[in-house]
Amino acid sequence: MSRGLTRYMEIIPLNPPFSKGEISCPTLEKGVRGGFERLFRVKQEHRREAKLKSRFNAVVRFYKQQGRMPSFSEIGEMLGLRSKNSVFKFVNRLEEMGVVERDHTGRLIPRSLVSGIRVLGTVEAGFPSAAEEELADTLSFDDLLVENREATFLLKVSGDSMIEAGILPGDMVIVDRSQAPKSGNIVIAEVDGEWTMKYLRKRGDMATLVPANPKYKTIRPKSELKIAGVVTAVVRKYK
């Protein structure tokens, strides 16, 4: 008898664990059961992902419609979550996904609720040439324009005193109040009780606010000058 056949016979049970009319195969049963369990887990995972996506989309709709993030109680009401713990778990999941974060008060602020836009390359603005169409990356304007989200806010521009700095009426400016204002920065300032946006010029202890339009005069504070933040970017919508 060959050695291989001997090994085969050693694993054949002398008394098979099934009787007449009953077929039992533990290995097959285990395999089938394992397959069903894996299928069940996959379906469960798909259901969880679909529920998370649906809830995430509800938060995005709220943000787009209201222009702000919902409070925790509003999230619970909006999603039908009665338990505060369920709301916290959902918010924690959004934080893990990197789409929201909390400020120092615990209030939610958006990070990347809107997905990035594809960057296709560069286009020559000085002399006509074809734009490069090679896909390079995706870009979130939040990531590009905002360095300190918690200390950043938007203002809509009125007036034309900064027109030669490329800031036109109707533009939006992004202001970072965490940056130390330096001479030459465009700042949002309260001077003698009036708010304005101008270039900050410093000479010794003297500070002045300089417009970027010859129609306007340089402002020299008489009693008080407060800097609210440094303008870091300007956003213009054409259509």
Side-chain angles (χ1 to χ4, degrees):
M1 185 179 296
S2 71
R3 182 176 300 177
L5 185 56
T6 303
R7 287 203 300 270
Y8 174 76
M9 293 182 66
E10 288 172 349
I11 63 173
I12 299 296
L14 295 177
N15 298 305
F18 53 83
S19 58
K20 185 178 180 180
E22 179 183 357
I23 299 177
S24 176
C25 180
T27 302
L28 179 60
E29 290 177 354
K30 185 177 180 181
V32 172
R33 187 168 57 249
F36 278 121
E37 288 175 349
R38 284 192 295 274
L39 181 60
F40 180 72
R41 286 195 295 270
V42 169
K43 286 187 174 181
Q44 274 192 320
E45 186 63 28
H46 285 174
R47 280 196 290 268
R48 281 195 292 266
E49 289 180 359
K51 182 183 293 185
L52 178 62
K53 184 177 180 180
S54 173
R55 290 174 172 178
F56 171 74
N57 288 338
V59 172
V60 172
R61 282 195 299 274
F62 182 99
Y63 177 69
K64 288 181 176 179
Q65 293 169 357
Q66 304 295 327
R68 64 176 177 83
M69 290 296 294
S71 65
F72 281 65
S73 60
E74 286 173 329
I75 290 176
E77 183 177 346
M78 181 169 54
L79 303 182
L81 301 174
R82 297 181 179 179
S83 163
K84 290 184 178 179
N85 190 44
S86 298
V87 175
F88 276 96
K89 283 184 177 179
F90 172 65
V91 170
N92 290 339
R93 186 73 181 92
L94 295 183
E95 287 183 301
E96 292 171 0
M97 294 164 61
V99 295
V100 301
E101 61 184 358
R102 305 183 207 195
D103 65 12
H104 68 284
T105 66
R107 184 178 55 188
L108 289 180
I109 53 178
R111 290 196 61 190
S112 57
L113 284 175
V114 180
S115 59
I117 300 173
R118 291 182 302 165
V119 179
L120 292 183
T122 60
V123 61
E124 177 58 59
F127 190 82
S129 65
E132 297 178 14
E133 293 187 357
E134 180 181 357
L135 177 60
D137 203 347
T138 59
L139 175 67
S140 162
F141 281 107
D142 283 357
D143 294 337
L144 175 67
L145 301 177
V146 179
E147 183 175 336
N148 186 339
R149 191 174 303 273
E150 191 173 340
T152 299
F153 57 92
L154 280 167
L155 288 174
K156 188 173 183 178
V157 178
S158 65
D160 59 356
S161 68
M162 297 301 289
I163 198 167
E164 291 187 0
I167 303 176
L168 308 181
D171 289 349
M172 303 290 290
V173 289
I174 298 175
V175 184
D176 188 342
R177 62 172 178 262
S178 69
Q179 293 195 18
K182 299 177 182 176
S183 186
N185 287 160
I186 297 174
V187 298
I188 304 299
E190 183 182 14
V191 53
D192 298 329
E194 298 286 339
W195 285 99
T196 188
M197 176 177 63
K198 297 288 186 293
Y199 279 116
L200 175 67
R201 301 294 186 196
K202 290 182 177 177
R203 182 172 293 178
D205 294 334
M206 181 74 72
T208 56
L209 297 172
V210 181
N213 187 333
K215 292 194 312 183
Y216 298 89
K217 296 180 179 178
T218 295
I219 299 173
R220 294 179 171 79
K222 296 177 180 177
S223 59
E224 188 177 46
L225 173 64
K226 296 179 181 177
I227 306 298
V230 175
V231 175
T232 58
V234 57
V235 180
R236 181 172 307 140
K237 187 175 180 180
Y238 290 100
K239 291 183 179 180

